[in-house]
Amino acid sequence: MTARLFNTPGPSVYTLPPQSDFLREIATTLRDEFNAVADPDALTRLLILTPTRRAAKALGDVFADLAGNGVALLPLIRPIGDVDVDDPPFEPGELAGLAAPAISPERRRYELARLILAKEKALSRPIGVGGALALADSLAALLDDLATEDVSDLSALQEAVTTYLPADRREAVEFLEIVQHIWPARLAELGLTDGAHRRSLVLHELVARWTRQAPDHPVLAVGSTGSIPAARKLMGVIAGLEHGAVVLPGVDWDADDSAWDSIADDHPQWAMKTFLAEAGVDRKDLPAWPGAAEDHAAERRRRLIAEALRPADTTDAWLKRIAALKERFGETFFSEGMEGLSLVEAPDEISEARACALMLRETLETPDETAILVTPDRMLARRVSAEMVRFGVRLDDSGGAALSETPAGAFLTRVLDAATDCGSVVALTALWGSPLFRAGYRRGQAHTVLAKFEAEALRGARPGRDLAAVRARLDGEFVKLFDEDRAVIEAILDTLETAFSGLLVDGKRPARDWARAHAEAAEALAEDGTGRGAEAVWIGEGGEAAAGLLRSLLEESESLPDMSLADYSAAFGEMCRSRRVAPRLGVHPRLQVLGPLEARLITADRVILAGLNEGVWPPGPGADPWLSAGMRRAVGLGAPERRYGLAAHDFAQLAAARHVIMTRSEKSEGSPTVASRWLWRMKTLARGALGEAADAAFTAPTDYVALSRALDDPGSPPVAAPRPSPCPPVEVRPRRLSITEIRTWVRDPYSIYARHILGLRRLDPADMPPGPRERGSALHDALEAVVPAWTDGIPEDAVAQLVAAAETRLAETGFGPEEMVLERARFERAASWLVSWEAGRRARGITLDKVEITGSMAFDGPAGTWELTGRSDRFDRHPDGRLDIIDYKTGSSSSAKSIRAGFDPQLPLTAAMAEAGAFKALAAGAPAGLYYLSLPGNAEGGKEVRIDGERNPEAAEYVHNALEDLTRWIARFDDETMPYESQIRVQYVNDYGDFDHLARRGEWASAGGESPEGER
């Protein structure tokens, strides 16, 4: 390397202005320098240290790009935070005794979780394995902080605990014994060390070696700010080497003295100021990297941002600084500095994501133009990626997705969910819906058959607690499957039972045994019959990460305690959610979504800084479960504000790009947000310099928020959907309805149209918890099974008989033991009242005749015969042969007014059928009374509700009116022009009609389209 790079007074330290293409400038200058050297291999002996792996890869890509089609001779490029003793600048084995091998992240997590579980147990506060694994992450972060900051003496910790924590919170610090004593001892026992501690040892060894003897090759440290103490020391040594140099990113070398002297931890220049002070370099003498040039616009932008982010205690000098800058650079200084810098404030986070997506998509309209979106907000990044799908673009998101969100991770999680609760239809259908689920069949074949099985047989109350209960639904009353479908379903259920056999084991087992059974189950269920389907679990995005996670459980989890399947499932879910998987294939080469750390030294034609709200960027202080802010300072970890300084440096570097769009949302989850402190500062400075023109200066040339709204704008004002009025031909209209459907027909003809003409039916939710419907069915079944047997009188244990029968039916419909306590008390009260009521009836000579019988009755309509069918709860016979028509209710019953008006004709029509002899099992008889037996099981137990007047019986009148209404209704709908309208009775509108969504009632009803009540 030529002397030009090292011919500086004192240590060789350079800086590159923020708007420079940092890595390209570095690579271009180095190639120019080394091309001038006679030795063609000189560049390969250069060692370049970068701050991150991504920066190292990007620098290598730049060197390759500059080489064009020729052979690219690359220097050694290593991330400064990940220098290994087995890689250059060390020789293999040279420092083998320096540090023990680093413990793997997963192994450390398992070991720390074991120690946390032991501590919690000692404190009589047991937690699950999943919770311990989550807590292990924060404890590992503390260990890394201690190693990074070179804190080895924790003797001040106990004093800090006494000083900063109240007595009732000092119990939490018991866990810090793990950090002080238990964890170091465990690492020594394992012959391993923490990765961060090992890194510090390696960096300190490099410092010592290169201090004693300079390396025989040139060394360049680029892009690091020196925020890590060990790295800062190494950078100082490199700067002093004869063939060494340091390149700092964006040093504010021309800041005024008052601002520079006031720089503290929360300032973007703090880390570099500390490095320059330790290296003995005056920032005013700091040269720019050879070949780097800062044009007119770039200088103004850099100075503007530096002025906006000046130390808080010096902002009182802003007015003087504004005047000084205008005097030096002209009145247009601030307006020129803000050219290419704009702010987009969206009303909510969804609008912000959509606007950001439009900005990225707009970039692609210009050939070869690139863009990066930088944000620490992972949810915002995911929303932007999702919005880009509408444009057919897949983004390269450095943060990736959680393993649990990938096909492989989701499939493995669903396998555990289904195995943990085999009777859950939700868990099973989620597993069946995975693209990796095959169970021995082609994907399309298995999915089609299982979807039909789920819709036909598994909706409503859950089948039971195991796969046997699911299998029993194949023989259910309403299942209509082809024989070949049944065979496929049974084969898939057989495969599920076999696959789950290794997981459905009682008791506790080691994590590695669960992991082995888990992997075997997943492979068995992914097998497609070709012998190669199981491979699909471990390939593709997420597959390798899933395999790595299970491999760590198989090989490194011996420290975890034995656990149940539920504990293993919780632990796997926690690890699956915390492991990130970056996209690999199909991403757009010109667009990237980056976090602030990944974006360091990365440049693009357009830079979008998104999520600029306080608490997001910069991030909030968060909650440290181990050390308070005061305790961190006491043990030497530095102030939490230091994170703000690092974040501010990232922001300042990125905001200095030529074309920058900053975005924020004014609301988040419906609550107002506060703009980032950096935006406040920039706005305040701009208003002071530009006055009322400041807002216009921040305005983007394109109104992206308006465009984002237009994306889903139909182009015309919304028009409410009209009330549907289908008029199908008479020949397809139903000629047969049940008594209970007449109520629906009168109130909501559209439901009859949907059910009987379109052939639709409502699907209950899966795993629907048992409720009033199941309770009512259990009551009906219990009364049907027990009461008719009391022919010789009411037995002494009548109440017990009813309760026992009800309990059996309740258990079958899904009521659990804890719910049964309440239900039993409810049924006991209802049964006691019913037995007393039965005794009173029998004393008056009224006897039970028939229960739960069916019948049918024909009517003559204009279009032909029309049939009414029905099933009655109960008929009681009077001594004179007349009949009481009785309907059981566990909830509310219809009023006499609604029945008289014809809107609830069930009881009168049942009486009409009984009088006409339509029930073959029942001797005909005139109606004596129309009754509801309300049996809610409340304090009263039950209540008799007679619809017709007891003193002046009106049953015959009710029957007559109901028959007239039905005859008229049949005639109306035998007219082809009569429409099947939705919810035609305003007074009796049903807010939860089965087919309201199909009728789009939410649109026309809210728009005032409800029609008045029709004729009876």
Side-chain angles (χ1 to χ4, degrees):
M1 185 182 295
T2 65
R4 185 168 79 126
L5 293 178
F6 311 110
N7 188 20
T8 60
S12 298
V13 182
Y14 300 92
T15 186
L16 268 167
Q19 202 173 89
S20 302
D21 187 339
F22 192 99
L23 297 179
R24 188 166 292 274
E25 292 279 3
I26 294 291
T28 301
T29 299
L30 290 175
R31 281 180 55 83
D32 291 343
E33 291 288 327
F34 283 95
N35 283 339
V37 179
D39 184 0
D41 296 329
L43 184 62
T44 63
R45 290 193 292 273
L46 170 65
L47 172 65
I48 303 178
L49 299 177
T50 64
T52 64
R53 284 183 177 273
R54 181 174 285 268
K57 179 182 181 303
L59 181 57
D61 292 342
V62 171
F63 272 109
D65 181 59
L66 291 175
N69 295 325
V71 177
L73 297 178
L74 302 182
L76 293 173
I77 305 174
R78 297 285 183 270
I80 198 169
D82 200 19
V83 178
D84 200 313
V85 296
D86 294 326
D87 290 329
F90 299 112
E91 296 298 328
E94 182 181 11
L95 296 178
L98 174 65
I103 189 171
S104 72
E106 293 299 341
R107 176 68 179 272
R108 178 169 73 162
R109 196 178 194 191
Y110 301 143
E111 293 283 349
L112 289 174
R114 178 182 66 86
L115 299 177
I116 290 171
L117 285 168
K119 272 292 183 183
E120 288 281 9
K121 185 177 181 180
L123 294 170
S124 301
R125 299 185 312 196
I127 60 174
V129 178
L133 287 167
L135 202 55
D137 288 340
S138 60
L139 189 57
L142 174 60
L143 289 167
D144 289 344
D145 284 349
L146 291 169
T148 298
E149 297 293 334
D150 291 333
V151 176
S152 57
D153 183 9
L154 298 180
S155 59
L157 184 58
Q158 192 59 47
E159 181 181 350
V161 169
T162 305
T163 303
Y164 294 103
L165 283 184
D168 61 336
R169 292 191 57 198
R170 291 174 191 170
E171 183 184 61
V173 189
E174 289 284 337
F175 286 92
L176 295 179
E177 184 183 354
I178 296 174
V179 175
Q180 292 178 276
H181 306 295
I182 301 176
W183 181 239
R186 178 57 178 164
L187 284 176
E189 181 183 346
L190 294 172
L192 300 171
T193 188
D194 277 320
H197 180 62
R198 192 171 190 267
R199 177 190 64 192
S200 292
L201 289 175
V202 170
L203 293 178
H204 284 304
E205 176 61 21
L206 271 178
V207 169
R209 284 168 59 94
W210 288 353
T211 299
R212 293 193 304 268
Q213 180 178 357
D216 59 359
H217 54 78
V219 182
L220 199 63
V222 302
S224 295
T225 61
S227 59
I228 299 175
R232 186 164 62 243
K233 291 178 181 178
L234 179 61
M235 289 165 58
V237 171
I238 292 173
L241 293 175
E242 182 181 357
H243 295 289
V246 173
V247 185
L248 298 174
V251 175
D252 187 13
W253 66 75
D254 50 11
D256 59 286
D257 291 337
S258 63
W260 185 263
D261 294 340
S262 300
I263 287 175
D265 291 11
D266 60 349
H267 193 273
Q269 297 285 316
W270 171 82
M272 293 184 292
K273 175 188 176 183
T274 303
F275 166 73
L276 292 174
E278 292 180 359
V281 176
D282 189 334
R283 47 103 185 185
K284 294 180 180 179
D285 299 329
L286 193 63
W289 177 250
E294 188 178 39
D295 62 21
H296 180 84
E299 180 185 9
R300 279 151 177 72
R301 175 73 63 77
R302 173 178 61 80
R303 287 178 174 273
L304 185 149
I305 294 172
E307 194 61 43
L309 301 185
R310 70 186 289 120
D313 57 357
T314 66
T315 54
D316 58 346
W318 262 342
L319 292 178
K320 293 182 180 179
R321 291 292 300 165
I322 290 173
L325 289 169
K326 286 183 177 181
E327 180 180 354
R328 179 176 177 182
F329 297 101
E331 289 293 324
T332 60
F333 169 82
F334 286 94
S335 58
E336 290 176 354
M338 293 183 66
E339 288 181 3
L341 177 68
S342 56
L343 171 64
V344 173
E345 296 185 282
D348 54 63
E349 61 267 50
I350 296 176
S351 299
E352 181 184 11
R354 192 165 294 174
C356 290
L358 284 172
M359 298 170 197
L360 293 173
R361 180 62 184 84
E362 183 183 35
T363 303
L364 300 181
E365 294 298 302
T366 304
D368 300 326
E369 187 169 296
T370 60
I372 58 174
L373 184 144
V374 185
T375 180
D377 187 344
R378 291 302 314 146
M379 183 58 70
L380 176 59
R382 290 178 59 188
R383 286 193 174 106
V384 173
S385 297
E387 289 291 339
M388 290 298 291
V389 172
R390 75 160 73 203
F391 304 125
V393 176
R394 190 177 187 215
L395 291 179
D396 179 6
D397 183 356
S398 67
L403 175 57
S404 59
E405 297 169 355
T406 65
F411 178 63
L412 289 166
T413 302
R414 292 174 187 180
V415 168
L416 289 178
D417 291 343
T420 305
D421 191 0
C422 295
S424 168
V425 176
V426 171
L428 287 173
T429 53
L431 175 60
W432 297 342
S434 169
L436 295 176
F437 183 85
R438 301 289 194 279
Y441 291 89
R442 301 187 312 274
R443 166 65 185 156
Q445 182 182 9
H447 180 266
T448 300
V449 174
L450 289 171
K452 184 176 181 181
F453 177 49
E454 183 257 344
E456 294 283 350
L458 300 180
R459 291 300 186 109
R462 60 180 290 152
R465 309 241 174 220
D466 52 27
L467 286 174
V470 175
R471 188 187 295 273
R473 289 289 182 93
L474 278 170
D475 300 315
E477 180 181 357
F478 302 106
V479 179
K480 300 172 183 175
L481 299 171
F482 298 109
D483 290 341
E484 58 269 26
D485 290 341
R486 182 186 183 95
V488 170
I489 293 169
E490 287 184 335
I492 291 174
L493 292 176
D494 289 341
T495 302
L496 278 169
E497 288 181 346
T498 302
F500 287 166
S501 60
L503 293 170
L504 300 181
V505 178
D506 293 332
K508 297 184 176 182
R509 293 197 296 176
R512 61 176 177 272
D513 292 349
W514 289 120
R516 183 175 296 105
H518 187 190
E520 292 171 351
E523 290 182 349
L525 295 177
E527 178 57 54
D528 60 0
T530 65
R532 300 187 302 274
E535 299 173 0
V537 181
W538 316 118
I539 60 177
E541 285 188 12
E544 292 183 10
L549 176 54
L550 280 170
R551 188 181 301 114
S552 74
L553 286 165
L554 286 167
E555 299 175 355
E556 301 179 302
S557 64
E558 65 271 10
S559 59
L560 291 177
D562 289 356
M563 62 187 75
S564 65
L565 175 60
D567 288 336
Y568 172 78
S569 180
F572 181 84
E574 173 62 35
M575 292 184 288
C576 213
R577 287 187 294 272
S578 63
R579 182 171 288 211
R580 311 299 299 182
V581 179
R584 296 187 305 171
L585 302 174
V587 297
H588 202 284
R590 292 197 279 138
L591 303 178
Q592 287 182 292
V593 177
L594 304 171
L597 177 62
E598 291 82 13
R600 290 176 185 173
L601 308 188
I602 305 298
T603 56
D605 298 309
R606 172 177 287 188
V607 177
I608 304 167
L609 307 181
L612 282 166
N613 281 329
E614 199 68 15
V616 177
W617 201 8
D624 188 339
W626 309 108
L627 299 178
S628 66
M631 293 168 64
R632 291 180 67 88
R633 293 189 188 92
V635 298
L637 285 179
E641 291 77 16
R642 189 172 297 176
R643 293 185 299 111
Y644 296 137
L646 298 175
H649 182 265
D650 293 333
F651 171 78
Q653 289 288 106
L654 292 163
R658 190 174 304 277
H659 184 188
V660 178
I661 304 176
M662 304 176 291
T663 75
R664 63 173 293 261
S665 58
E666 295 173 334
K667 286 188 176 181
S668 177
E669 298 182 356
S671 300
T673 60
V674 176
S676 170
R677 62 189 67 184
W678 306 320
L679 287 183
W680 277 109
R681 283 167 161 263
M682 293 179 71
K683 284 184 174 182
T684 302
L685 181 65
R687 288 190 185 111
L690 301 175
E692 295 181 356
D695 291 339
F698 275 111
T699 302
T702 303
D703 190 345
Y704 294 101
V705 174
L707 285 177
S708 69
R709 288 194 297 265
L711 278 176
D712 297 324
D713 188 346
S716 61
V719 178
R723 181 197 293 269
S725 302
C727 295
V730 172
E731 56 267 24
V732 301
R733 300 190 179 202
R735 309 303 300 170
R736 173 189 176 114
L737 292 175
S738 69
I739 293 175
T740 55
E741 287 180 310
I742 302 302
R743 179 183 188 271
T744 303
W745 194 19
V746 172
R747 297 175 181 230
D748 186 14
Y750 189 84
S751 288
I752 300 299
Y753 165 78
R755 182 177 294 115
H756 290 277
I757 298 175
L758 299 183
L760 304 176
R761 65 184 178 90
R762 182 177 69 89
L763 289 179
D764 289 329
D767 286 347
M768 186 174 69
R773 185 175 66 177
E774 288 70 34
R775 185 180 299 115
S777 297
L779 172 71
H780 281 73
D781 292 345
L783 295 178
E784 181 183 2
V786 175
V787 175
W790 296 344
T791 54
D792 297 329
I794 301 175
E796 293 183 0
D797 64 342
V799 172
Q801 290 181 22
L802 286 169
V803 172
E807 280 187 321
T808 300
R809 183 64 182 130
L810 286 170
E812 292 174 353
T813 55
F815 283 89
E818 63 283 352
E819 298 166 304
M820 201 68 78
V821 176
L822 177 62
E823 296 302 328
R824 179 182 177 85
R826 188 198 305 271
F827 272 92
E828 282 182 346
R829 291 190 292 267
S832 297
W833 182 89
L834 180 67
V835 169
S836 298
W837 180 82
E838 286 279 357
R841 300 272 291 178
R842 298 191 182 206
R844 293 157 51 196
I846 303 173
T847 59
L848 183 148
D849 195 324
K850 298 294 181 182
V851 297
E852 301 293 340
I853 59 173
T854 59
S856 64
M857 182 177 179
F859 290 80
D860 290 329
T865 303
W866 193 96
E867 186 178 12
L868 176 68
T869 65
R871 179 184 180 91
S872 177
D873 286 351
R874 174 169 172 165
F875 292 103
D876 280 7
R877 183 79 65 176
H878 283 251
D880 60 3
R882 293 181 305 149
L883 293 170
D884 282 342
I885 292 81
I886 300 173
D887 190 43
Y888 297 127
K889 293 289 185 184
T890 54
S892 60
S893 55
S894 301
S895 67
K897 180 181 177 180
S898 66
I899 294 175
R900 180 179 292 277
F903 298 124
D904 289 284
Q906 179 181 357
L907 285 180
L909 288 178
T910 304
M913 292 177 66
E915 188 172 15
F919 295 99
K920 294 182 179 179
L922 178 74
L930 308 178
Y931 292 89
Y932 286 114
L933 280 193
S934 179
L935 299 170
N938 54 15
E940 297 177 359
K943 180 173 62 174
E944 176 190 280
V945 180
R946 183 167 182 174
I947 300 303
D948 57 316
E950 185 174 357
R951 296 184 180 179
N952 182 23
E954 300 170 342
E957 182 183 349
Y958 275 97
V959 171
H960 174 76
N961 289 340
L963 288 174
E964 277 195 349
D965 287 345
L966 180 57
T967 302
R968 187 185 307 112
W969 208 245
I970 293 170
R972 292 183 69 181
F973 281 89
D974 275 356
D975 179 359
E976 190 170 284
T977 63
M978 183 64 188
Y980 285 85
E981 294 184 296
S982 173
Q983 302 275 20
I984 61 175
R985 311 294 186 179
V986 175
Q987 183 178 357
Y988 296 101
V989 163
N990 182 358
D991 291 332
Y992 44 89
D994 291 344
F995 301 100
D996 281 355
H997 62 294
L998 184 64
R1000 298 175 71 176
R1001 182 171 174 268
E1003 297 181 41
W1004 52 262
S1006 61
E1010 295 279 17
S1011 65
E1013 182 179 339
E1015 64 173 293
R1016 182 172 61 84

